[in-house]
Amino acid sequence: MKTFSSDSWPDLVLTGRYVGHLEDLGGQRLSASAAKAFDALKAAAAKDGFMLSIASSYRDFERQEQIFSGKWRGVRPVHDDSGAPVDISAMDAGQKLDAILRFSALPGASRHHWGTDLDVYCAKALGSDTLGLTPQEYGPGGAQHALALWLAEHARDADFFLPYDIDRGGVAAELWHLSFAPQAGPLLSRLSADKVADALSYGRVAGYEDIVPRLDALMARFVTNVAKP
């Protein structure tokens, strides 16, 4: 029987600082097993009329640091659940973290670091529109709603699950985010606050001094607070 074990991967995989386990999919990268499983899911989706495409897959630490630090410094927009921009300039550190982590992962703690997770959409339904990966697109009346319903029913057929299937009070529901369960589950169990703190220190992430004292609580709310694989 084929094994998908990720137990032997180095700890640097956890925080987005290792790429030796990844396959290039023509601009996107996934682990070999996740890529094979996605091909199967894509074929199944095609039979039901969906053109399943990848919007985002592997994201290294440096890229996640740019996104997070840009939002922390106010040079990248931060949005609320309705998609409206929020002004973080008057917020204290805790409020800023809550607002940013609602939709953007902490560098070193992003599931996109692992090569097991990806954001998907139906290219046929998108048409000439610009993809935003927003709750409105994947909710009732949205262009990607039919795909979201299909994924909820069929993703597990290919060993994927939706870690952010509902709002658990941490990361907002992301009905476009798939995770390859056989590898992502064990990786999450290996990720600790100490390992994330080490990565944050290494990467000189903006807000480091405010983040580290809150890290245990942030991990519990925004990292491990997900659906079961």
Side-chain angles (χ1 to χ4, degrees), residues 2 9 11 28-29 42 69 87-89 101 111 118-119 127 157 203 209 213 218 222:
K2 186 172 179 58
W9 292 355
D11 278 352
Q28 300 288 349
R29 288 182 287 179
K42 184 176 181 179
S69 293
D87 180 10
I88 66 169
S89 62
L101 296 179
R111 300 180 71 94
L118 63 163
D119 299 329
D157 295 341
E209 297 81 2
L218 293 174
F222 294 103

Side-chain angles (χ1 to χ4, degrees), residues 108-121:
S110 173
R111 300 180 71 94
H112 282 284
H113 288 335
W114 306 339
T116 61
D117 285 52
L118 63 163
D119 299 329
V120 299
Y121 67 100

Side-chain angles (χ1 to χ4, degrees), residues 31-53:
S31 74
S33 296
K36 184 175 181 179
F38 178 71
D39 283 343
L41 186 66
K42 184 176 181 179
K47 291 180 180 179
D48 287 339
F50 298 99
M51 189 180 297
L52 194 60
S53 303

Side-chain angles (χ1 to χ4, degrees), residues 18-29:
Y18 181 83
V19 297
H21 64 305
L22 301 177
E23 282 196 356
D24 189 339
L25 307 179
Q28 300 288 349
R29 288 182 287 179

Side-chain angles (χ1 to χ4, degrees), residues 1 55 57 60 81 94 112-113 147 193 200 202 228-229:
M1 182 174 66
S57 52
D60 64 19
D81 288 6
H112 282 284
H113 288 335
L147 175 65
L200 290 169
Y202 158 83
K228 292 181 180 180

Side-chain angles (χ1 to χ4, degrees), residues 84-102:
V86 297
D87 180 10
I88 66 169
S89 62
M91 294 180 177
D92 63 28
Q95 292 170 326
K96 286 173 65 173
L97 284 167
D98 288 348
I100 295 170
L101 296 179
R102 185 73 170 151

Side-chain angles (χ1 to χ4, degrees), residues 61-71 73 76 107:
F61 179 91
E62 286 73 19
R63 178 57 181 155
Q64 196 66 36
E65 185 277 326
Q66 291 170 3
I67 295 170
F68 180 89
S69 293
K71 292 188 175 185
R73 295 182 178 120
R76 284 179 176 267

